[in-house]
């Protein structure tokens, strides 16, 4: 279970960071940055142990990475956001099966929880 979460965390972090860097550092439009990140994540090979979950975590991370650079001021905050998102992704693994919007919902709730913790930290 720890290895499963670690892979999810890394995939979510890669998606979140790539999307954020594309739009914050290289001025790529945010929707295009998320699309490119999702496209690159689709090339992750499927494995017997993890299935398509790393691909989904990259895509959910790209949604979370669409945050404004005014909200995320450091890369450690992206790591915290990815931890929250990967935790939610792992906790809701068997929930909402067959319903659309799960990845976007996970990303939205992770950003909302991140903002709540951020306000509590300052």
């Amino acid at each position: 279970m720890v290895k499963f979460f670690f892979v999810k965390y890394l995939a979510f972090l890669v998606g979140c960071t790539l999307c954020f860097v594309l739009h914050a550092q290289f001025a790529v439009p945010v929707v295009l940055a998320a699309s490119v990140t999702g496209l690159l994540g689709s090339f992750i090979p499927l494995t017997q142990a993890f299935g398509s979950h790393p691909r989904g975590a990259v895509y959910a991370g790209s949604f979370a990475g669409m945050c404004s650079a005014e909200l995320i001021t450091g890369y450690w905050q992206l790591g915290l956001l990815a931890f929250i998102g990967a935790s939610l992704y792992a906790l809701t693994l068997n929930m909402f099966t067959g319903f659309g919007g799960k990845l976007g919902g996970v990303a939205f709730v992770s950003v909302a929880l991140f903002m709540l913790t951020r306000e509590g930290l300052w």
Side-chain angles (χ1 to χ4, degrees):
M1 184 64 175
V2 173
K3 187 163 89 170
F4 186 75
F5 177 77
F6 185 69
V7 168
K8 285 223 182 298
Y9 172 71
L10 282 179
F12 202 96
L13 181 63
V14 165
C16 191
T17 304
L18 182 60
C19 182
F20 183 77
V21 166
L22 283 175
H23 79 81
Q25 301 293 326
F26 297 107
V28 175
V30 70
V31 174
L32 184 60
S35 301
V36 167
T37 303
L39 178 66
L40 292 175
S42 71
F43 292 113
I44 295 174
L46 294 175
T47 62
Q48 196 78 359
F50 303 116
S52 65
H53 292 293
R55 291 177 178 175
V58 167
Y59 201 55
S62 74
F63 290 153
M66 294 172 79
C67 283
S68 170
E70 295 173 2
L71 298 177
I72 297 177
T73 56
Y75 288 104
W76 70 271
Q77 292 178 338
L78 282 173
L80 177 61
L81 177 60
F83 180 78
I84 294 170
S87 299
L88 287 173
Y89 190 96
L91 289 173
T92 62
L93 193 61
N94 295 324
M95 299 174 76
F96 309 117
T97 330
F99 291 98
K102 177 180 178 180
L103 299 179
V106 165
F108 171 75
V109 172
S110 357
V111 171
L113 288 174
F114 168 75
M115 291 309 299
L116 288 174
T117 60
R118 182 175 178 239
E119 293 301 319
L121 293 174
W122 311 138

